[in-house]
Amino acid sequence: MVKNVPEIFGCMVFNEEVMAERLPEEVYHSLRKSVEQGKEIDPSIADIVAGAMKDWAIEKGATHYTHWFQPLTGVTAEKHEAFLTPVGGGKVIMKFSGKALIKGEADASSFPSGGLRNTFEARGYTAWDPASYAFVKDGTLFIPTAFCSYTGDSLDTKTPLLRSMDALSNEGVRLMRLFGDTETKRINTTVGIEQEYFIIDKEMYEQRKDLIYTGRTLFGAPAPKGQEMEDHYYGELKTRIQEYMADLDEALWRMGVPAKTKHNEGAPAQHELAPVFSTTNMAIDQNMLIMAYMKKIAEQHGLVCLLHEKPYAGVAGSGKHNNWSIDTDTGKNLLKPGKTPMENKQFLLILAAVVKAVDEYQDLLRLSVAHPGNDHRLGGNEAPPAVISMFIGDDLQAIVDAIVSGTAYKDHARTKMNLGIPTVPTFTKDTTDRNRTSPFAFTGNKFEFRMPGSSQNMALPNIILNTIVAESFRQFCDVLEGAEDFSAAVEQLIKDTLTAHSRIIFNGNGYSEEWKKEAQRRGLLNLKTSVDAFKTFAAEKNIALFSRHGVMSETEIHSRVEILYENYAKLINIEAQAMVEMAARDILPAVNAYTAEVAAGAAAKTAVVPTADVSMETDLIETLSALVGKAYVTVKELKAADAAALKAEKGQATATAFAESVIPLMDALRRQVDEMETMTSSEFWPMPNYGDMMFRI
C-alpha cells in the first residue's frame, strides 16, 4: 500500500523538477522557453540535456534508451539501444549524445504508410518531442518522439497533433490580440481522457479464441443477469479488482500520470479510470501508458484487461471520453463562461467558433472515431449516436436564443439545492445538466467528446478538434481585423455565426427516434458505419483545411485514408476467420456430440420403458440439428464471402465488401450459434459463457 503519494509521484519521469535540478540554469530556461513558446530548440544544448538525461536514467536502473513513437498502427513502437560504447581493451562506457537524443532511425517500410513508402524505401526518422517528458520504464529510458519518412511525410499520429496544436495557438493568439491581450504568447489545448475497460479472469480468457484473436467475443448468449439492475455502476469494488486498481494507480503515479478517479462502470466487470487533464500531447502519451499498464498490471493479478469497444454484446461498450478545453499560457481557460456569460463577448465568440467548427466539420469528427469496434458501440448503452450534435445546456441555450432572436436575455440566477434534511448542507446547483447521449457536450468549462472508442489512440480526435477550431478563429480574425467598430463587429459575428450554425445544437435525448428524424430534417450527417465515415476524409474542403494550417498535406491525408480502409478490412477478415474456425472446429462438433448423447439417452430410456416420454429429447435433437445445419451452411457462405472480399480491389472496394457482404453473414452465424448455446449442456459447450466471464472475477 502506498503511504506517500507525493513522494513517489513522477519519480520515474525526467520532469520539470529533475530538469531544473540537473541542467545548468541557462540550459533549463532555454529548453523551457522553446517548449512554452513552440520555438526551435537551440542545438548547442542537446549534448548537455542528453548527458543529464542519461545520468538520471542510469540512476533509475536504465541500461538502454528508446525513441518511443506512435506509428499509424494505433499503438506505440520502440527500438531499444544500449547506452554502452566500447572504448578498447574490452572496456565500455555509458554514453548518450545530443544527436542520439534529437534524432533516431526506424524502418519506415515496416509500418503502415498508405503508399507513402515502398519496401525498398525503408529509412524513417524519429525526432524528440521535448514538450512531453522522458521517463524510465522496465530498465529503459523512453524518449517521446515524432516519426516521419525520409521524404518528411508524417508516418505517425504525434506529428500532425503537434502541428494542430501550433495551428490553434497561432490563430488563438491572433484572436487574443484583437481583445487587447498582449501577454498571451501561446494557446494550449488541454485534455482529460477518461478510460473505460473490462476485466476478465486470465484462465477464462485463454479458453476464448475470439478474445485472443480479436479482443471481443464473436459468440455469446446473454447471461441471465446483465446490467439491467444498474447495481454495478459505482458499486462496491470487488477485492480482486480493488487490489488491481491499487497497483495500477501506484504504477501510473510513479510514471507521473495523475490517475485520479476509479470506479465500476455500467456493465458487469467494466470499470473506468480518469486522470487529471494535461496539455494535449502529454495527455495522449499518458493515455497510451495507461492502456499499457492496465494490461501489464492485470497479468500480475491473473487477469486480462479488455480494451475493445464491445467485448460483450448486449451490455454497455467501452468508450474514451475526451474532455477538451483551451487555455492561455497565462492560465486563463477560454471556455469558462464567467459569472455573466451574456456579457462575456470573448467567451461567446469562442463558443460560436466551436459551434461553427463542429457544424461545418461533422464528417471529420465522425471520422475521428471511425473504427470497426466502435461501430458496435455507437448508438446504445451509454454511447452517443453516430449523428454529431452539441449539447450546451439550458443556460447557454437561453443566451444563444436571445442572441439569435435579438430579444432580451433574462439571467438565470444560480439556485441553491436544499434536500430538506437539516444536517445536510445546501449547495449551489450547476447552471447546466449533463447529457450522456450527446456526442459533444459542454460541461461548464470544457467540451466532452464522448464518441471515441476505448482502444483508439486519441490523437486524431484532437487533431481534428484543434484544426477545425483554428479555422474558425482564422476566419473570425480575418473579419475583425478590418472592422472599424470592433465591439459591434464582434456582436454581429457572434449573432451571424450562431444563427447560421445553431442546427448542430441539440439538448434532448440523442437515442430517441424523434431525434433521428429531426437530425435528418436539419440536414445533419448520419454516417452509420466506419466505411461511410472514411469516404469523407479526403473531401476537397477537408484537404484544404489541413493544408491551409500545415497539419497534413494532401498526400498524407490520402495515405491515411488507405490505411483506414486497409485496417478495417484486415480486422474484419481476422474476425471472420476466427468465427469460421471456432464454429467448424469447436462449436458444431460440440453440439453434435451433445445431440448424440441426448439421442443415446432417449434410446436407453425407451429400451427400458418403451412408452417413456422422450418428447423433450426429440424436440431438442430436431431443433439443434436444424440449427447445426443452418450454421454449417452459413460457415461455408462466410468463408466464400471472406475470400471474395479479399480479392476485391484494395482500399474502399475491399472495405465495402467486408462491410456489406461479410459482416451480415457474421451476424447471422452469431445468432445461430448463440441460440445453440442456450440449448446445449454447459458440460459440452467448448468455452466459458457470458455469466462466467462477467461475474466470476
Side-chain angles (χ1 to χ4, degrees):
M1 182 64 69
V2 179
K3 293 183 179 179
N4 193 331
V5 176
E7 185 176 303
I8 69 163
F9 187 84
C11 65
M12 304 303 285
V13 183
F14 195 71
N15 55 25
E16 297 292 326
E17 182 181 2
V18 176
M19 286 189 279
E21 177 185 337
R22 291 178 174 263
L23 295 175
E25 185 176 357
E26 64 276 11
V27 172
Y28 171 71
H29 287 301
S30 175
L31 181 61
R32 292 314 310 156
K33 183 178 180 181
S34 296
V35 171
E36 290 167 2
Q37 298 182 11
K39 305 296 185 183
E40 186 175 348
I41 289 178
D42 181 355
S44 67
I45 71 171
D47 280 331
I48 300 172
V49 175
M53 197 180 284
K54 179 260 297 179
D55 291 343
W56 169 83
I58 290 173
E59 291 174 18
K60 295 294 181 181
T63 57
H64 290 68
Y65 70 91
T66 181
H67 277 194
W68 186 59
F69 58 103
Q70 299 171 26
L72 299 171
T73 57
V75 295
T76 58
E78 55 202 62
K79 180 179 74 171
H80 297 221
E81 302 276 359
F83 287 122
L84 69 85
T85 301
V87 292
K91 301 291 185 179
V92 298
I93 60 172
M94 303 297 267
K95 187 176 180 181
F96 184 49
S97 68
K99 181 179 178 181
L101 168 63
I102 290 174
K103 187 189 80 171
E105 186 173 333
D107 188 340
S109 67
S110 298
F111 292 101
S113 70
L116 283 176
R117 304 296 286 158
N118 295 308
T119 302
F120 67 90
E121 297 173 315
R123 193 184 298 275
Y125 296 117
T126 49
W128 175 37
D129 171 20
S132 194
Y133 300 138
F135 55 90
V136 170
K137 174 176 172 282
D138 300 329
T140 299
L141 172 66
F142 281 68
I143 303 162
T145 59
F147 179 44
C148 68
S149 71
Y150 182 72
T151 57
D153 294 311
S154 69
L155 296 173
D156 67 343
T157 58
K158 172 163 280 197
T159 301
L161 175 68
L162 295 174
R163 293 171 180 169
S164 75
M165 293 171 66
D166 285 342
L168 184 65
S169 179
N170 293 338
E171 299 300 339
V173 169
R174 186 180 166 199
L175 191 64
M176 291 301 97
R177 294 291 182 268
L178 292 172
F179 279 92
D181 180 347
T182 59
E183 295 182 2
T184 296
K185 294 182 174 59
R186 184 166 180 83
I187 301 290
N188 290 310
T189 52
T190 59
V191 171
I193 303 172
E194 304 170 31
Q195 178 72 55
E196 295 174 347
Y197 62 99
F198 279 85
I199 290 292
I200 182 175
D201 184 272
K202 189 175 182 181
E203 290 186 7
M204 293 188 187
Y205 170 85
E206 290 175 343
Q207 298 175 62
R208 295 284 313 206
K209 292 180 181 178
D210 45 5
L211 286 177
I212 292 171
Y213 292 141
T214 73
R216 75 178 181 103
T217 54
L218 300 172
F219 301 109
K225 181 179 185 292
Q227 65 187 79
E228 61 275 1
M229 296 303 295
E230 300 173 336
D231 54 345
H232 188 261
Y233 191 55
Y234 282 16
E236 183 178 2
L237 299 174
K238 292 182 178 180
T239 301
R240 199 174 177 190
I241 296 299
Q242 189 170 15
E243 292 171 350
Y244 161 71
M245 286 181 168
D247 286 351
L248 176 61
D249 277 341
E250 181 175 348
L252 293 174
W253 290 337
R254 289 181 181 277
M255 303 308 297
V257 178
K260 186 174 178 67
T261 303
K262 58 185 180 183
H263 60 82
N264 288 345
E265 254 299 331
Q270 187 187 30
H271 313 280
E272 180 177 302
L273 181 151
V276 179
F277 68 89
S278 301
T279 304
T280 302
N281 62 313
M282 192 176 295
I284 291 170
D285 283 356
Q286 290 177 347
N287 183 250
M288 301 306 286
L289 274 177
I290 286 171
M291 292 193 290
Y293 271 104
M294 281 179 168
K295 294 179 179 180
K296 184 183 182 74
I297 303 299
E299 289 185 4
Q300 297 171 6
H301 288 260
L303 303 167
V304 173
C305 174
L306 303 177
L307 292 172
H308 194 283
E309 286 75 16
K310 201 75 169 181
Y312 303 110
V315 298
S318 293
K320 197 173 339 223
H321 302 163
N322 190 81
N323 294 282
W324 179 87
S325 192
I326 313 173
D327 292 350
T328 69
D329 58 359
T330 58
K332 183 178 181 181
N333 183 340
L334 297 180
L335 289 179
K336 188 174 182 179
K339 294 182 179 179
T340 55
M342 184 61 179
E343 299 172 9
N344 188 343
K345 302 305 181 191
Q346 181 176 292
F347 165 75
L348 291 176
L349 186 66
I350 291 172
L351 174 66
V354 177
V355 170
K356 170 183 168 67
V358 173
D359 185 32
E360 291 184 338
Y361 295 100
Q362 306 163 46
D363 54 344
L364 286 179
L365 285 173
R366 174 65 181 91
L367 164 79
S368 75
V369 301
H371 183 273
N374 222 16
D375 284 352
H376 296 287
R377 169 181 165 265
L378 294 178
N381 289 313
E382 308 299 325
V387 178
I388 300 290
S389 66
M390 293 178 67
F391 168 85
I392 61 173
D394 293 340
D395 197 43
L396 286 184
Q397 185 65 63
I399 293 173
V400 170
D401 290 343
I403 292 171
V404 171
S405 64
T407 57
Y409 166 71
K410 183 178 180 182
D411 188 16
H412 292 71
R414 299 190 70 182
T415 59
K416 294 283 187 179
M417 293 289 284
N418 188 334
L419 301 183
I421 306 170
T423 55
V424 175
T426 60
F427 56 90
T428 304
K429 179 180 176 181
D430 289 315
T431 58
T432 180
D433 200 351
R434 291 196 175 207
N435 188 328
R436 296 179 66 85
T437 71
S438 177
F440 198 72
F442 185 72
T443 55
N445 60 1
K446 63 186 185 305
F447 280 98
E448 183 180 26
F449 189 28
R450 297 178 55 86
M451 294 181 76
S454 54
S455 68
Q456 76 174 99
N457 183 308
M458 289 303 294
L460 186 57
N462 286 289
I463 290 168
I464 288 171
L465 278 172
N466 292 343
T467 309
I468 64 178
V469 173
E471 174 62 12
S472 290
F473 284 176
R474 182 192 72 82
Q475 293 184 24
F476 284 4
C477 289
D478 285 349
V479 171
L480 296 174
E481 284 173 346
E484 294 183 6
D485 185 335
F486 176 74
S487 180
V490 168
E491 292 182 7
Q492 189 62 48
L493 186 55
I494 293 170
K495 180 175 182 177
D496 291 346
T497 302
L498 293 177
T499 301
H501 299 286
S502 60
R503 66 171 185 168
I504 200 70
I505 300 172
F506 176 67
N507 295 317
N509 180 9
Y511 291 161
S512 69
E513 289 300 317
E514 290 77 12
W515 167 236
K516 292 179 183 178
K517 296 175 183 177
E518 172 64 15
Q520 185 177 17
R521 187 192 67 77
R522 294 187 186 190
L524 301 182
L525 295 174
N526 187 4
L527 303 171
K528 296 180 180 179
T529 71
S530 290
V531 175
D532 293 333
F534 296 159
K535 298 173 185 177
T536 68
F537 200 171
E540 186 176 339
K541 73 178 182 66
N542 297 335
I543 291 173
L545 168 77
F546 290 117
S547 299
R548 182 182 299 115
H549 292 278
V551 174
M552 282 185 279
S553 67
E554 182 172 358
T555 300
E556 289 171 333
I557 291 170
H558 282 294
S559 73
R560 280 156 175 76
V561 173
E562 289 304 308
I563 292 170
L564 289 170
Y565 283 129
E566 182 179 327
N567 286 347
Y568 182 92
K570 286 178 177 178
L571 286 170
I572 303 303
N573 175 53
I574 291 169
E575 290 186 348
Q577 292 190 5
M579 289 190 87
V580 167
E581 178 177 323
M582 292 173 69
R585 298 181 62 183
D586 301 321
I587 296 169
L588 298 187
V591 176
N592 280 334
Y594 175 58
T595 55
E597 175 147 313
V598 172
K605 285 170 67 175
T606 55
V608 177
V609 182
T611 58
D613 185 356
V614 291
S615 58
M616 183 197 78
E617 290 89 339
T618 301
D619 287 347
L620 192 59
I621 292 169
E622 286 181 352
T623 304
L624 283 175
S625 296
L627 284 169
V628 166
K630 290 179 181 177
Y632 176 68
V633 171
T634 306
V635 166
K636 292 197 296 183
E637 292 175 343
L638 178 56
K639 286 179 67 174
D642 183 63
L646 289 172
K647 291 179 182 178
E649 184 178 350
K650 299 299 181 184
Q652 182 177 333
T654 305
T656 300
F658 275 103
E660 296 180 355
S661 302
V662 176
I663 289 178
L665 288 169
M666 291 171 61
D667 293 340
L669 181 58
R670 174 166 194 149
R671 287 191 296 269
Q672 293 157 0
V673 169
D674 288 357
E675 187 175 352
M676 283 188 264
E677 182 183 349
T678 65
M679 306 170 68
T680 303
S681 168
S682 58
E683 294 180 3
F684 283 80
W685 198 252
M687 64 195 77
N689 61 33
Y690 269 26
D692 293 334
M693 292 185 287
M694 290 192 289
F695 290 97
R696 295 186 179 181
I697 299 177

